[in-house]
Amino acid sequence: MYKELKNLNQKPEVFQSYTADSLWTDPHRAEQMLSYHLNSDIEAASRNTEFIDKSVSWMIKHFELSCESKVGDFGCGPGLYSSRFAKENINITGIDFSKNSTDYAQRYAQDNNLTVEYINQNYLEYSEVEKYDLTIMIMCDFCALSPAQRKQMLTVLYNSLKKGGKLIIDVYSLAAFAARKESALYERDQLFGFWSKKDYFAFVNIFKYENEKVVLDKYTIFEENDESYTVYNWLQYFSPRSLAVEFEQAGFSVLEYFADVAGSNFSESNAEFAIVAEKSTL
Ligand SMILES: C[S@@+](CC[C@H](N)C(=O)[O-])C[C@H]1O[C@@H](n2cnc3c(N)ncnc32)[C@H](O)[C@@H]1O
């Protein structure tokens, strides 16, 4: 018991393991995530309906999108943004590795006579080139990636854009990093059945990496049949400059910052911010 607890509380190397698939594609958790996405009162997986409506209207206006435009929605989930773009007759492709989510999104499109292309794939492996006028990655998904994965993701996004194409993503800020605290707790049935249908105990360890501006939310789940597993939820926090450096290294020109993907004015004290960047026209 002591050894086990010591191991649980041991701080891992930063970005030691990537378990995003266990969080999003495990059949039980994918169902739970889908219900979070579709419940506008829970902002764990998507933002609320009012915000998404405002965001899509703002993006259409800001990026001057028309029925000629092509938009790529990376990590589209159940298509909350993609389906709204489709309703405005914009050509939209949603990419997500959760089949549960893309199946739901596809059904929603069919039921509502919308044309959307949904691709069930790991977005780090996406390979289409020069297709989009705009790519979006929303709900701070970029922050869950390690530095090497972010480099790979920015190459994927860069290649997927036409020359002069633009990109908007949102990320967590240093103000949000300052507000995070290390902690350790254990709880029976943590998140009310989110982790498993079976009875379980969850150990939740939060580790802060001051130099790297990273936080790890580590969940170790022990189920009643003695099965156990660990989910690592890494979050990278950015300053506008630290984010710009990564974009510039990938070949983008940084154009603007906003407080969110609905065009609110940028503020240092906001927990999140959004960056707009462009692929050169040359
Ligand atoms: C926080 S949710 C946001 C969904 C959507 N952008 C929204 O705001 O409603 C992140 C989404 O990214 C997907 N995702 C996470 N990692 C992925 C990866 N490596 N490849 C493809 N999809 C991924 C998840 O399945 C999930 O649907």
Side-chain angles (χ1 to χ4, degrees):
M1 183 76 175
Y2 173 81
K3 258 196 196 157
E4 187 105 56
L5 287 172
K6 196 172 167 200
N7 274 343
L8 281 172
N9 287 281
Q10 190 77 40
K11 192 173 191 170
E13 287 295 310
V14 69
F15 286 112
Q16 181 186 282
S17 23
Y18 184 60
T19 55
D21 52 343
S22 159
L23 188 62
W24 294 100
T25 67
D26 165 85
H28 173 75
R29 290 188 280 284
E31 269 303 318
Q32 300 281 315
M33 282 296 192
L34 181 59
S35 65
Y36 284 178
H37 276 298
L38 302 180
N39 183 341
S40 185
D41 295 333
I42 303 176
E43 296 214 6
S46 296
R47 301 213 170 81
N48 62 63
T49 307
E50 194 189 339
F51 178 86
I52 299 172
D53 285 341
K54 185 173 156 208
S55 170
V56 172
S57 303
W58 176 78
M59 285 190 275
I60 291 174
K61 203 159 156 219
H62 190 73
F63 297 107
E64 299 176 344
L65 302 176
S66 69
C67 55
E68 307 286 304
S69 309
K70 288 195 175 146
V71 177
D73 181 1
F74 286 77
C76 62
L80 302 179
Y81 293 81
S82 291
S83 54
R84 282 166 171 81
F85 279 114
K87 280 181 189 156
E88 301 301 327
N89 295 317
I90 288 156
N91 301 291
I92 176 98
T93 303
I95 302 109
D96 202 290
F97 68 178
S98 164
K99 188 158 169 16
N100 204 46
S101 279
T102 51
D103 282 354
Y104 171 90
Q106 194 66 65
R107 279 197 307 277
Y108 180 90
Q110 271 156 13
D111 293 348
N112 290 277
N113 277 326
L114 299 173
T115 308
V116 190
E117 179 188 30
Y118 284 112
I119 302 175
N120 182 227
Q121 189 187 11
N122 184 338
Y123 47 43
L124 293 164
E125 289 158 12
Y126 186 78
S127 59
E128 282 210 66
V129 295
E130 304 219 347
K131 178 168 174 176
Y132 302 116
D133 300 284
L134 174 70
T135 59
I136 65 175
M137 194 172 182
I138 294 180
M139 200 70 186
C140 302
D141 236 32
F142 189 68
C143 300
L145 302 174
S146 69
Q149 287 171 322
R150 296 200 299 273
K151 201 169 168 201
Q152 189 180 344
M153 190 70 230
L154 287 175
T155 303
V156 164
L157 292 167
Y158 188 88
N159 291 342
S160 76
L161 282 168
K162 294 178 189 166
K163 291 189 176 74
K166 291 185 183 155
L167 160 66
I168 182 164
I169 70 161
D170 53 5
V171 294
Y172 294 116
S173 70
L174 294 187
F177 182 74
R180 297 294 313 266
K181 291 198 170 25
E182 290 204 328
S183 64
L185 64 82
Y186 95 94
E187 204 181 332
R188 190 173 202 164
D189 195 29
Q190 198 242 354
L191 297 174
F192 315 106
F194 173 80
W195 295 106
S196 174
K197 279 189 187 141
K198 300 184 191 120
D199 189 25
Y200 63 84
F201 290 90
F203 286 74
V204 186
N205 293 88
I206 299 179
F207 297 106
K208 259 185 113 164
Y209 300 78
E210 282 293 338
N211 292 340
E212 294 86 354
K213 304 292 178 237
V214 170
V215 172
L216 167 63
D217 297 332
K218 176 173 156 269
Y219 301 88
T220 312
I221 313 299
F222 294 88
E223 293 186 351
E224 68 180 317
N225 53 1
D226 273 347
E227 249 182 57
S228 69
Y229 47 90
T230 304
V231 175
Y232 297 81
N233 198 13
W234 300 99
L235 290 177
Q236 176 77 54
Y237 294 74
F238 292 95
S239 68
R241 191 63 217 139
S242 66
L243 187 60
V245 167
E246 296 192 9
F247 275 65
E248 284 160 6
Q249 281 169 355
F252 286 103
S253 306
V254 174
L255 301 181
E256 300 163 287
Y257 296 102
F258 294 96
D260 56 32
V261 291
S264 307
N265 287 338
F266 174 80
S267 153
E268 292 272 353
S269 59
N270 232 49
E272 297 167 13
F273 68 95
I275 186 171
V276 175
E278 184 180 43
K279 176 170 175 171
S280 134
T281 45
L282 300 176

